[in-house]
Amino acid sequence: MDDIVKAALAKWPNVPHCHGWLGLDSRGQWYMRDDRCQRSGPFALEPGEAATACKGSLLRHDKLIDFIHRNCAADAAGQWFFQNGPQRVYLELEATPFVWRLQPDGRVLAHTGQDAGAVQRCLLDEHGHLYLETALGLGLVHSNDMGLAADAVERADWVPEAVAAAELPAAWRFVRSPQRLTGQRPWV
């Protein structure tokens, strides 16, 4: 966490948390979600949900994105957040807390640029999405990197295990939508 963020937390320790305003999609892109967007629909749909998703505005400012990457963490309940100065901004996740970018040399990097370390498990859900468990946690393999993933599976570096997508959050202790846990559903 940046020193400036730690200083802001010490100066203003009781700033209310923020929900629904920032989302991470399945391609590792950040979206800002204003009031209008939140009223239009959730960031990502739950299975069987009859609503229209509204991602919001794609963030393109590299320094802001880097700041978000340096200041993200999870709380004890598995809710991921961005510590924006004294305010905790809980993240809406389209898929998982990490989106993996596979490198030609075999390394796995998070959407944040962090090295994920060795792959511990490889999982394949009913929709054909591939997930990797590493020391950082569970993440979805970026769709552009499926060729490299297929090579790793063919070499038997990774052996995909079947998993139900709906079981991932509980099994790996992450929350896709902290906003839903608060009961806030501005789109209803």
Side-chain angles (χ1 to χ4, degrees):
M1 196 171 292
D2 289 1
D3 289 338
I4 193 169
V5 171
K6 292 176 187 174
L9 280 167
K11 188 172 182 179
W12 299 290
N14 298 316
V15 174
H17 299 323
C18 179
H19 291 85
W21 283 81
L22 187 61
L24 177 68
D25 78 358
S26 61
R27 298 178 62 80
Q29 300 176 112
W30 294 102
Y31 287 83
M32 191 67 98
R33 305 182 69 241
D34 62 14
D35 283 331
R36 181 196 55 76
C37 177
Q38 290 185 54
R39 285 190 306 274
S40 297
F43 182 69
L45 297 177
E46 294 291 323
E49 186 172 33
T52 302
C54 182
K55 283 188 176 180
S57 301
L58 177 64
L59 293 182
R60 297 182 188 274
H61 192 280
D62 291 336
K63 288 185 180 186
L64 174 59
I65 293 167
D66 289 342
F67 182 66
I68 292 170
H69 289 167
R70 290 192 311 272
N71 294 287
C72 277
D75 66 15
Q79 297 178 94
W80 282 80
F81 63 89
F82 157 55
Q83 192 66 49
N84 184 25
Q87 186 170 52
R88 185 172 283 192
V89 179
Y90 281 97
L91 307 178
E92 297 293 301
L93 304 174
E94 187 173 37
T96 57
F98 295 102
V99 176
W100 304 131
R101 297 308 316 255
L102 308 184
Q103 305 303 300
D105 64 5
R107 289 179 305 132
V108 177
L109 301 180
H111 64 280
T112 62
Q114 275 181 287
D115 192 315
V119 173
Q120 299 164 357
R121 285 177 79 185
C122 177
L123 305 159
L124 184 66
D125 75 12
E126 66 275 20
H127 307 290
H129 299 135
L130 191 69
Y131 305 87
L132 303 176
E133 180 182 12
T134 73
L136 286 180
L138 183 75
L140 175 69
V141 174
H142 193 289
S143 60
N144 285 352
D145 298 340
M146 290 305 290
L148 291 171
D151 292 344
V153 170
E154 285 179 6
R155 287 190 308 270
D157 294 345
W158 305 338
V159 179
E161 303 169 37
V163 67
E167 296 173 3
L168 295 172
W172 276 268
R173 299 209 59 224
F174 67 91
V175 176
R176 282 196 178 118
S177 178
Q179 183 178 31
R180 290 175 191 270
L181 294 181
T182 67
Q184 297 176 26
R185 293 176 183 229
W187 60 88
V188 177

PDB file of all heavy atoms in Angstrom, residues 4-17:
ATOM      1  N   ILE A   4       1.222   7.345   1.045  1.00  0.00           N
ATOM      2  CA  ILE A   4       0.222   8.413   1.080  1.00  0.00           C
ATOM      3  C   ILE A   4      -1.157   7.867   1.497  1.00  0.00           C
ATOM      4  O   ILE A   4      -1.925   8.528   2.193  1.00  0.00           O
ATOM      5  CB  ILE A   4       0.151   9.153  -0.275  1.00  0.00           C
ATOM      6  CG1 ILE A   4      -0.649  10.444  -0.142  1.00  0.00           C
ATOM      7  CG2 ILE A   4      -0.416   8.278  -1.362  1.00  0.00           C
ATOM      8  CD1 ILE A   4      -0.528  11.348  -1.362  1.00  0.00           C
ATOM      9  N   VAL A   5      -1.452   6.641   1.104  1.00  0.00           N
ATOM     10  CA  VAL A   5      -2.709   5.995   1.484  1.00  0.00           C
ATOM     11  C   VAL A   5      -2.695   5.680   2.980  1.00  0.00           C
ATOM     12  O   VAL A   5      -3.667   5.931   3.692  1.00  0.00           O
ATOM     13  CB  VAL A   5      -2.951   4.725   0.643  1.00  0.00           C
ATOM     14  CG1 VAL A   5      -4.134   3.940   1.163  1.00  0.00           C
ATOM     15  CG2 VAL A   5      -3.152   5.099  -0.809  1.00  0.00           C
ATOM     16  N   LYS A   6      -1.574   5.148   3.472  1.00  0.00           N
ATOM     17  CA  LYS A   6      -1.455   4.855   4.907  1.00  0.00           C
ATOM     18  C   LYS A   6      -1.608   6.123   5.740  1.00  0.00           C
ATOM     19  O   LYS A   6      -2.261   6.117   6.785  1.00  0.00           O
ATOM     20  CB  LYS A   6      -0.109   4.195   5.194  1.00  0.00           C
ATOM     21  CG  LYS A   6       0.025   2.811   4.612  1.00  0.00           C
ATOM     22  CD  LYS A   6       1.427   2.273   4.853  1.00  0.00           C
ATOM     23  CE  LYS A   6       1.645   0.963   4.134  1.00  0.00           C
ATOM     24  NZ  LYS A   6       3.034   0.498   4.230  1.00  0.00           N
ATOM     25  N   ALA A   7      -1.023   7.221   5.284  1.00  0.00           N
ATOM     26  CA  ALA A   7      -1.136   8.493   6.000  1.00  0.00           C
ATOM     27  C   ALA A   7      -2.578   8.982   6.026  1.00  0.00           C
ATOM     28  O   ALA A   7      -3.063   9.475   7.053  1.00  0.00           O
ATOM     29  CB  ALA A   7      -0.223   9.538   5.355  1.00  0.00           C
ATOM     30  N   ALA A   8      -3.282   8.854   4.913  1.00  0.00           N
ATOM     31  CA  ALA A   8      -4.688   9.280   4.851  1.00  0.00           C
ATOM     32  C   ALA A   8      -5.547   8.444   5.787  1.00  0.00           C
ATOM     33  O   ALA A   8      -6.455   8.965   6.444  1.00  0.00           O
ATOM     34  CB  ALA A   8      -5.203   9.185   3.420  1.00  0.00           C
ATOM     35  N   LEU A   9      -5.266   7.142   5.870  1.00  0.00           N
ATOM     36  CA  LEU A   9      -6.016   6.268   6.787  1.00  0.00           C
ATOM     37  C   LEU A   9      -5.809   6.687   8.233  1.00  0.00           C
ATOM     38  O   LEU A   9      -6.749   6.671   9.031  1.00  0.00           O
ATOM     39  CB  LEU A   9      -5.574   4.809   6.610  1.00  0.00           C
ATOM     40  CG  LEU A   9      -6.180   4.074   5.438  1.00  0.00           C
ATOM     41  CD1 LEU A   9      -5.434   2.764   5.185  1.00  0.00           C
ATOM     42  CD2 LEU A   9      -7.640   3.800   5.689  1.00  0.00           C
ATOM     43  N   ALA A  10      -4.581   7.044   8.574  1.00  0.00           N
ATOM     44  CA  ALA A  10      -4.287   7.474   9.945  1.00  0.00           C
ATOM     45  C   ALA A  10      -4.971   8.803  10.257  1.00  0.00           C
ATOM     46  O   ALA A  10      -5.476   9.005  11.365  1.00  0.00           O
ATOM     47  CB  ALA A  10      -2.779   7.590  10.135  1.00  0.00           C
ATOM     48  N   LYS A  11      -5.028   9.697   9.274  1.00  0.00           N
ATOM     49  CA  LYS A  11      -5.613  11.020   9.487  1.00  0.00           C
ATOM     50  C   LYS A  11      -7.138  10.978   9.543  1.00  0.00           C
ATOM     51  O   LYS A  11      -7.760  11.705  10.315  1.00  0.00           O
ATOM     52  CB  LYS A  11      -5.149  11.956   8.376  1.00  0.00           C
ATOM     53  CG  LYS A  11      -5.534  13.394   8.590  1.00  0.00           C
ATOM     54  CD  LYS A  11      -4.869  14.289   7.566  1.00  0.00           C
ATOM     55  CE  LYS A  11      -5.221  15.744   7.808  1.00  0.00           C
ATOM     56  NZ  LYS A  11      -4.572  16.628   6.848  1.00  0.00           N
ATOM     57  N   TRP A  12      -7.754  10.135   8.699  1.00  0.00           N
ATOM     58  CA  TRP A  12      -9.211  10.041   8.624  1.00  0.00           C
ATOM     59  C   TRP A  12      -9.623   8.571   8.744  1.00  0.00           C
ATOM     60  O   TRP A  12      -9.968   7.921   7.739  1.00  0.00           O
ATOM     61  CB  TRP A  12      -9.730  10.593   7.300  1.00  0.00           C
ATOM     62  CG  TRP A  12      -9.419  12.028   7.072  1.00  0.00           C
ATOM     63  CD1 TRP A  12      -9.945  13.093   7.715  1.00  0.00           C
ATOM     64  CD2 TRP A  12      -8.504  12.555   6.109  1.00  0.00           C
ATOM     65  NE1 TRP A  12      -9.423  14.263   7.219  1.00  0.00           N
ATOM     66  CE2 TRP A  12      -8.527  13.955   6.229  1.00  0.00           C
ATOM     67  CE3 TRP A  12      -7.658  11.989   5.153  1.00  0.00           C
ATOM     68  CZ2 TRP A  12      -7.737  14.795   5.442  1.00  0.00           C
ATOM     69  CZ3 TRP A  12      -6.878  12.810   4.369  1.00  0.00           C
ATOM     70  CH2 TRP A  12      -6.929  14.185   4.518  1.00  0.00           C
ATOM     71  N   PRO A  13      -9.639   8.014   9.937  1.00  0.00           N
ATOM     72  CA  PRO A  13      -9.886   6.576  10.083  1.00  0.00           C
ATOM     73  C   PRO A  13     -11.341   6.130   9.911  1.00  0.00           C
ATOM     74  O   PRO A  13     -11.599   4.950   9.753  1.00  0.00           O
ATOM     75  CB  PRO A  13      -9.407   6.297  11.506  1.00  0.00           C
ATOM     76  CG  PRO A  13      -9.609   7.603  12.225  1.00  0.00           C
ATOM     77  CD  PRO A  13      -9.338   8.669  11.198  1.00  0.00           C
ATOM     78  N   ASN A  14     -12.286   7.039   9.922  1.00  0.00           N
ATOM     79  CA  ASN A  14     -13.695   6.641   9.932  1.00  0.00           C
ATOM     80  C   ASN A  14     -14.473   7.058   8.684  1.00  0.00           C
ATOM     81  O   ASN A  14     -15.654   7.365   8.760  1.00  0.00           O
ATOM     82  CB  ASN A  14     -14.379   7.196  11.189  1.00  0.00           C
ATOM     83  CG  ASN A  14     -13.751   6.638  12.444  1.00  0.00           C
ATOM     84  OD1 ASN A  14     -13.488   5.447  12.527  1.00  0.00           O
ATOM     85  ND2 ASN A  14     -13.469   7.509  13.407  1.00  0.00           N
ATOM     86  N   VAL A  15     -13.837   7.061   7.544  1.00  0.00           N
ATOM     87  CA  VAL A  15     -14.517   7.398   6.295  1.00  0.00           C
ATOM     88  C   VAL A  15     -15.382   6.204   5.883  1.00  0.00           C
ATOM     89  O   VAL A  15     -14.920   5.068   5.910  1.00  0.00           O
ATOM     90  CB  VAL A  15     -13.486   7.745   5.194  1.00  0.00           C
ATOM     91  CG1 VAL A  15     -14.167   7.942   3.856  1.00  0.00           C
ATOM     92  CG2 VAL A  15     -12.690   8.977   5.588  1.00  0.00           C
ATOM     93  N   PRO A  16     -16.639   6.429   5.515  1.00  0.00           N
ATOM     94  CA  PRO A  16     -17.515   5.310   5.133  1.00  0.00           C
ATOM     95  C   PRO A  16     -17.002   4.567   3.898  1.00  0.00           C
ATOM     96  O   PRO A  16     -16.400   5.162   3.011  1.00  0.00           O
ATOM     97  CB  PRO A  16     -18.860   5.974   4.821  1.00  0.00           C
ATOM     98  CG  PRO A  16     -18.761   7.369   5.283  1.00  0.00           C
ATOM     99  CD  PRO A  16     -17.321   7.710   5.442  1.00  0.00           C
ATOM    100  N   HIS A  17     -17.266   3.286   3.859  1.00  0.00           N
ATOM    101  CA  HIS A  17     -16.897   2.457   2.719  1.00  0.00           C
ATOM    102  C   HIS A  17     -17.780   2.781   1.521  1.00  0.00           C
ATOM    103  O   HIS A  17     -18.889   3.279   1.665  1.00  0.00           O
ATOM    104  CB  HIS A  17     -17.043   0.970   3.052  1.00  0.00           C
ATOM    105  CG  HIS A  17     -16.175   0.513   4.177  1.00  0.00           C
ATOM    106  ND1 HIS A  17     -14.904   0.971   4.401  1.00  0.00           N
ATOM    107  CD2 HIS A  17     -16.398  -0.391   5.156  1.00  0.00           C
ATOM    108  CE1 HIS A  17     -14.381   0.387   5.452  1.00  0.00           C
ATOM    109  NE2 HIS A  17     -15.275  -0.441   5.938  1.00  0.00           N
TER     110      HIS A  17
END
